[in-house]
Amino acid sequence: MADAHAIQRVADTVVERVRQGNKLVVVVSAMGGSTNALIELAGQISDHPKRRELDMLLSTGERVTMALLSMAIADRGIEALSFTGSQCGIITNDVHTDARIIDVRPIRVEDELKRGRVVIVAGFQGMSYKREITTLGRGGSDTTALALAAALGADHCEIYSDVDGVFSADPRCVSDAKLLDEIGFGTLEALARGGAKVLHADAVAWARRAGIAFRARKTGSQDTGTLVGAAGLEGIVGVSSSAQRRFLPPDASLDNLHGCIIHCSDQGTVIDSQNLHGELPGVPCQTLTAAGEDLLNDPKYLRNFLACIEPCLGWWATPFGLHARFGEHVDITELTRRAHATLVS
Ligand code: ASP
Ligand code: MG
């Protein structure tokens, strides 16, 4: 959804798919860079914007693209209708700027599909059970798409973006990262939770729970991208990292804690601070994740991981991920490159 031209091309694709006999729901994200621009704009107005008002502001990015795409489709002679997240029954908790979807009641979407219309949905947003507008955290339009696909019992879901699919590391920082033909739900969820931007972790969780295999592919490309859902690759298949973390010592209060918990043990708590604004709890830290299928089945994966994570401050293991925590001054990009070179075969 980079610009008007890109929206016209998406409209062409949608119309082509409809003429092939498909019923379509199209979830859109904001135009390239517009969510960042809105966050910046808020920063010019206030140092501590209320998170509720940030949600009011950020949710407009997707409303722009949903209306434009709907107009473009209508001009091609196909009936289309755009809906906000709240209009199509995306119900969330009340955590502004980082809400979780708790229920999807897509009654209006189903009605319009029955009438033969294409439904365009503003991604990344919903309505809390308190009837407030919420957003789902950066990259959250993926989650709208998969949560809706699950609720509608869709036969098929495709996630389009400006990258070819899922890579073994972020190709912007690891030059020899490999495009993966397929990846399991658990592995991708671990990579995404670990900081990979290619897909929103909650989106993968919705797909996993509903058992919906989907493709992540590049807009306008003939390539089929990465199939998510089919597990089968053994061992470590990818690495990811994040510098947007906070560490809370074991005695810190967890009351009123926002931000997804990345890890919690008697050593302390690591949270994701990407979608937090204003004053943040704890101290900054960074994390590195190596993800793959059943990593605890063979101790060699852990052994290899531990050999390449100096100078970490702590580590932990989950069935689909091996994770390490670092201080804020460590060069996490360099560590990610090193881990990719050593661990991903
Ligand atoms: N527009 C939102 C963002 O930039 C959501 C998304 O693109 O998925 O994070
Ligand atoms: Mg995205």
Side-chain angles (χ1 to χ4, degrees):
M1 294 296 194
D3 50 28
H5 179 69
I7 292 175
Q8 299 279 18
R9 282 204 324 254
V10 171
D12 289 335
T13 308
V14 169
V15 166
E16 193 186 303
R17 294 290 187 91
V18 171
R19 298 225 157 102
Q20 288 163 358
N22 296 295
K23 280 186 189 289
L24 279 195
V25 177
V26 186
V27 175
V28 296
S29 56
M31 286 168 88
S34 79
T35 306
N36 286 339
L38 290 171
I39 292 175
E40 232 163 77
L41 190 58
Q44 288 172 29
I45 297 290
S46 165
D47 287 338
H48 295 288
K50 283 247 158 53
R51 291 158 57 118
R52 176 191 186 275
E53 304 307 335
L54 271 174
D55 275 349
M56 286 297 199
L57 182 68
L58 299 190
S59 59
T60 62
E62 274 70 11
R63 294 174 70 143
V64 170
T65 39
M66 75 173 191
L68 294 175
L69 181 61
S70 183
M71 292 172 197
I73 294 170
D75 274 4
R76 286 158 175 78
I78 299 281
E79 274 201 84
L81 205 66
S82 66
F83 285 131
T84 64
S86 73
Q87 283 177 308
C88 53
I90 307 277
I91 315 293
T92 72
N93 66 10
D94 65 348
V95 181
H96 284 289
T97 72
D98 200 15
R100 302 273 90 77
I101 297 176
I102 53 177
D103 196 11
V104 182
R105 298 176 200 153
I107 301 143
R108 292 200 66 184
V109 177
E110 285 162 336
D111 283 353
E112 297 304 335
L113 283 177
K114 271 184 213 136
R115 293 189 182 110
R117 293 177 176 144
V118 176
V119 178
I120 318 293
V121 175
F124 172 59
Q125 57 186 272
M127 182 179 69
S128 76
Y129 56 85
K130 294 174 179 164
R131 301 190 140 257
E132 295 278 12
I133 300 299
T134 50
T135 63
L136 307 176
R138 300 308 304 272
S141 50
D142 299 338
T143 305
T144 306
L146 279 154
L148 257 180
L152 294 167
D155 297 329
H156 202 67
C157 181
E158 290 175 13
I159 303 282
Y160 287 90
S161 71
D162 54 0
V163 291
D164 288 316
V166 179
F167 285 80
S168 57
D170 184 343
R172 286 166 304 184
C173 76
V174 179
S175 57
D176 58 347
K178 289 176 300 188
L179 179 64
L180 304 171
D181 290 333
E182 55 171 40
I183 190 167
F185 291 127
T187 301
L188 181 55
E189 205 175 323
L191 271 184
R193 219 42 98 200
K197 296 274 187 293
V198 59
L199 271 148
H200 199 239
D202 289 354
V204 187
W206 276 93
R208 167 174 54 76
R209 287 188 297 257
I212 300 180
F214 66 96
R215 280 192 180 278
R217 52 195 298 201
K218 186 175 185 160
T219 312
S221 161
Q222 294 306 309
D223 298 335
T224 50
T226 304
L227 178 63
V228 181
L233 303 169
E234 217 217 291
I236 295 172
V237 299
V239 295
S240 64
S241 57
S242 173
Q244 291 172 302
R245 300 284 194 244
R246 306 287 294 188
F247 177 73
L248 284 69
D251 56 351
S253 162
L254 301 182
D255 297 344
N256 303 316
L257 183 65
H258 294 307
C260 179
I261 294 178
I262 298 297
H263 177 63
C264 191
S265 75
D266 58 357
Q267 305 296 305
T269 302
V270 180
I271 60 164
D272 181 3
S273 59
Q274 184 187 198
N275 300 307
L276 300 184
H277 300 271
E279 231 159 271
L280 303 178
V283 294
C285 68
Q286 312 185 84
T287 57
L288 171 74
T289 292
E293 300 295 321
D294 302 323
L295 294 183
L296 300 182
N297 282 358
D298 187 335
K300 80 168 180 246
Y301 302 125
L302 183 57
R303 224 169 23 237
N304 295 345
F305 182 71
L306 294 179
C308 76
I309 55 169
E310 261 315 293
C312 81
L313 300 173
W315 62 268
W316 64 96
T318 55
F320 296 100
L322 306 171
H323 318 266
R325 172 172 61 90
F326 300 89
E328 62 174 318
H329 297 301
V330 162
D331 184 345
I332 195 75
T333 308
E334 189 45 45
L335 266 168
T336 311
R337 284 195 196 111
R338 202 167 79 197
H340 184 266
T342 328
L343 300 174
V344 181
S345 43

